[in-house]
């Protein structure tokens, strides 16, 4: 089973195992302070985002199923993630104060497995990859603006 470990970046300590739950694949993790948000798969196609905080022995599931690839905003108030429903792949944003509601920022038919969304360094945009193209999605309300940043084609 895939597990989540922590190790000092200088290699001065042995890896510390943080999770023990069964599962096949853990996607990217987003770490801010003592909070680690990560995606966990149950080996049957379902996935969910879990939160692990310092002092807890087990993660707590905090969000709806079908979410993955989490990235926490710099201020720790928002989480951007992907949601897969059938052939639809969406980039959604969650307000951590009200995680039961999501806002869809971008959606596409599922031609690629991952978008890998991340907040930009300024925190005012979400950067993601769709195939061989990298986009920046401004967080302008009410309609975000899409800008092509790089193409590998």
């Amino acid at each position: 089973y895939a597990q989540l470990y922590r190790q000092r970046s200088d290699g001065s300590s042995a890896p510390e195992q943080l999770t023990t739950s069964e599962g096949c694949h853990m996607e990217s993790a987003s770490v801010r302070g003592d909070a680690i948000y990560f995606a966990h798969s149950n080996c049957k196609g379902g996935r969910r985002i879990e939160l692990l905080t310092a002092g807890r022995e087990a993660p707590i599931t905090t969000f709806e199923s079908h979410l993955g690839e989490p990235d926490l905003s710099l201020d720790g108030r928002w989480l951007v993630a992907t949601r897969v429903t059938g052939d639809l792949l969406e980039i959604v944003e969650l307000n951590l104060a009200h995680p039961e509601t999501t806002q869809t920022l971008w959606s596409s038919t599922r031609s690629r497995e991952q978008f890998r969304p991340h907040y930009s360094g300024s925190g005012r945009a979400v950067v993601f990859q769709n195939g061989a193209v990298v986009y920046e999605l401004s967080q302008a309300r009410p309609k975000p603006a899409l800008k092509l940043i790089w193409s590998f084609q």
Side-chain angles (χ1 to χ4, degrees):
Y1 297 115
Q3 300 300 327
L4 193 61
Y5 289 83
R6 173 175 54 194
Q7 183 172 12
R8 294 182 54 87
S9 60
D10 63 6
S12 64
S13 65
E16 175 189 1
Q17 186 172 340
L18 300 176
T19 57
T20 58
S21 58
E22 294 182 0
C24 289
H25 180 56
M26 289 187 190
E27 297 172 354
S28 59
S30 184
V31 180
R32 296 289 186 276
D34 290 337
I36 302 172
Y37 290 88
F38 63 96
H40 180 76
S41 170
N42 64 4
C43 303
K44 298 175 185 164
R47 58 186 194 163
R48 63 187 181 271
I49 293 178
E50 295 184 342
L51 166 64
L52 182 65
T53 58
R56 292 192 63 89
E57 291 186 16
I60 52 175
T61 302
T62 54
F63 305 109
E64 64 177 271
S65 60
H66 308 296
L67 291 178
E69 302 180 281
D71 189 49
L72 192 60
S73 65
L74 297 174
D75 63 10
R77 296 174 42 210
W78 300 87
L79 189 76
V80 67
T82 56
R83 176 171 50 203
V84 178
T85 310
D87 285 337
L88 183 66
L89 182 59
E90 300 172 288
I91 296 176
V92 297
E93 188 174 50
L94 299 90
N95 179 335
L96 294 179
H98 304 284
E100 66 279 358
T101 59
T102 60
Q103 176 184 2
T104 300
L105 301 177
W106 177 258
S107 63
S108 175
T109 56
R110 193 173 164 185
S111 60
R112 301 279 186 254
E113 283 298 313
Q114 296 180 326
F115 275 164
R116 295 187 289 274
H118 292 282
Y119 284 101
S120 66
S122 69
R124 293 189 297 265
V126 173
V127 178
F128 68 96
Q129 180 178 344
N130 186 9
V133 181
V134 177
Y135 293 100
E136 178 182 82
L137 187 61
S138 75
Q139 294 183 275
R141 307 285 191 235
K143 183 168 175 58
L146 188 65
K147 175 182 165 185
L148 184 132
I149 293 183
W150 186 263
S151 176
F152 298 102
Q153 299 173 351

